[in-house]
Amino acid sequence: MSQNLSELSYEYIREKLASGEYPPGKQLVNRTLAEEIGVSVIPVREAINRLSSEGLVDHVPGAGAYVRKTSRQDLNNIYVLRDALESCAASEAAQYITEDQLEELQFILDRAGETAKQICDSPKGYSTKRQLERWMDDEQQFHELLIEASRNPLLAKVIKDNRAIAMVFAAQRYDPRLLTAEVARETCKSKAELLKALRDRDPKRARQLMSDQIQRGRKTVMDFLNQQGRERI
């Protein structure tokens, strides 16, 4: 029972981290979280220790636990990991993806296209907070479905177990200026090309397109940090 409650607490907190509801720098108070989840303090403490071991939470002596602020080097490392794993998944998916999954990817892409059009029509040239959150939700769903389509349980498990990957999505939710009209247009165009490669059952092209997408995302975030003079996001 204790193990189940610890797992429940872990999944609850991790979901809040991935969704951006618990932003970088937020203090995680055991008693408050226990009340939210409906458990005792012990499983919450175990969950926070687990998240700390995964690098998602920092323990500050005498102050408590805080959601980790993602550094420039953290992001670089995460993008390298994502490139290796998800490019492989895209290659595998090109061989095994089903028609239903292709249709679902197209649906997600169409929805992202609507968001991109809204951003492009805006005079300020970048997204609102709500548009960014919707965009990132679609990004995450697209990648998760592609990983599922690879039909490689071991690969999917490795990606899932590397919780740091979720930090990329969470880290990008906090400043709408990251999602410019140009980034939105280019991303939709690239995903359309990837979808074509999947339909054409072209593993080599699917792998390359996924790698290109991830590296463009990496450059966008790094350039933004440079422009802002920031070391963390």
Side-chain angles (χ1 to χ4, degrees):
M1 179 64 73
S2 175
Q3 185 176 1
N4 290 340
L5 292 177
S6 177
E7 183 68 23
L8 172 68
S9 302
Y10 169 80
E11 293 293 343
Y12 177 90
I13 299 170
R14 189 174 65 85
E15 176 62 30
K16 297 291 186 181
L17 296 175
S19 70
E21 192 168 338
Y22 290 171
K26 176 180 173 62
Q27 184 174 13
L28 299 177
V29 181
N30 290 350
R31 190 168 299 281
T32 302
L33 286 169
E35 291 174 358
E36 284 183 21
I37 302 168
V39 298
S40 70
V41 171
I42 294 173
V44 170
R45 186 182 300 122
E46 292 172 348
I48 289 176
N49 286 338
R50 182 175 170 186
L51 290 162
S52 177
S53 70
E54 292 173 354
L56 299 180
V57 171
D58 283 331
H59 275 293
V60 180
Y66 294 82
V67 179
R68 183 175 179 180
K69 293 183 178 180
T70 310
S71 70
R72 192 186 302 256
Q73 188 57 52
D74 288 333
L75 288 172
N76 257 318
N77 293 341
I78 293 165
Y79 276 109
V80 169
L81 180 62
R82 282 192 63 209
D83 193 349
L85 295 174
E86 294 188 39
S87 296
C88 179
S91 176
E92 293 291 292
Q95 302 175 68
Y96 301 114
I97 195 166
T98 67
E99 289 300 319
D100 285 345
Q101 288 171 324
L102 285 168
E103 287 182 14
E104 190 171 350
L105 286 175
Q106 184 65 62
F107 177 79
I108 296 170
L109 179 56
D110 290 344
R111 193 167 57 199
E114 293 173 3
T115 304
K117 185 178 184 308
Q118 292 172 9
I119 297 169
C120 291
D121 290 343
S122 170
K124 63 184 180 182
Y126 58 85
S127 70
T128 64
K129 175 71 170 173
R130 180 173 295 182
Q131 286 168 343
L132 178 61
E133 289 175 349
R134 185 165 63 239
W135 178 271
M136 293 310 304
D137 285 341
D138 285 337
E139 275 279 296
Q140 190 160 351
Q141 288 178 26
F142 191 96
H143 284 261
E144 287 176 350
L145 180 58
L146 193 64
I147 292 162
E148 178 185 324
S150 73
R151 291 176 60 184
N152 186 324
L154 182 57
L155 178 60
K157 185 177 187 305
V158 170
I159 293 173
K160 182 179 179 181
D161 287 349
N162 279 277
R163 310 300 186 186
I165 291 177
M167 291 170 62
V168 171
F169 296 107
Q172 293 181 34
R173 291 178 184 269
Y174 303 111
D175 199 322
R177 292 172 298 175
L178 274 164
L179 183 56
T180 64
E182 181 182 0
V183 168
R185 278 195 303 266
E186 285 300 313
T187 301
C188 286
K189 178 183 176 183
S190 177
K191 278 188 165 49
E193 292 174 353
L194 174 58
L195 199 49
K196 184 179 186 305
L198 295 171
R199 287 197 176 99
D200 292 344
R201 309 293 172 176
D202 188 339
K204 184 176 179 180
R205 179 145 178 78
R207 179 190 287 268
Q208 186 60 56
L209 286 167
M210 177 59 82
S211 178
D212 291 346
Q213 281 184 35
I214 292 171
Q215 290 307 320
R216 272 197 302 274
R218 178 185 188 179
K219 184 176 186 303
T220 296
V221 173
M222 294 304 162
D223 286 351
F224 180 78
L225 289 177
N226 287 335
Q227 290 168 8
Q228 299 296 311
R230 289 159 58 182
E231 287 297 322
R232 294 179 179 271
I233 188 168

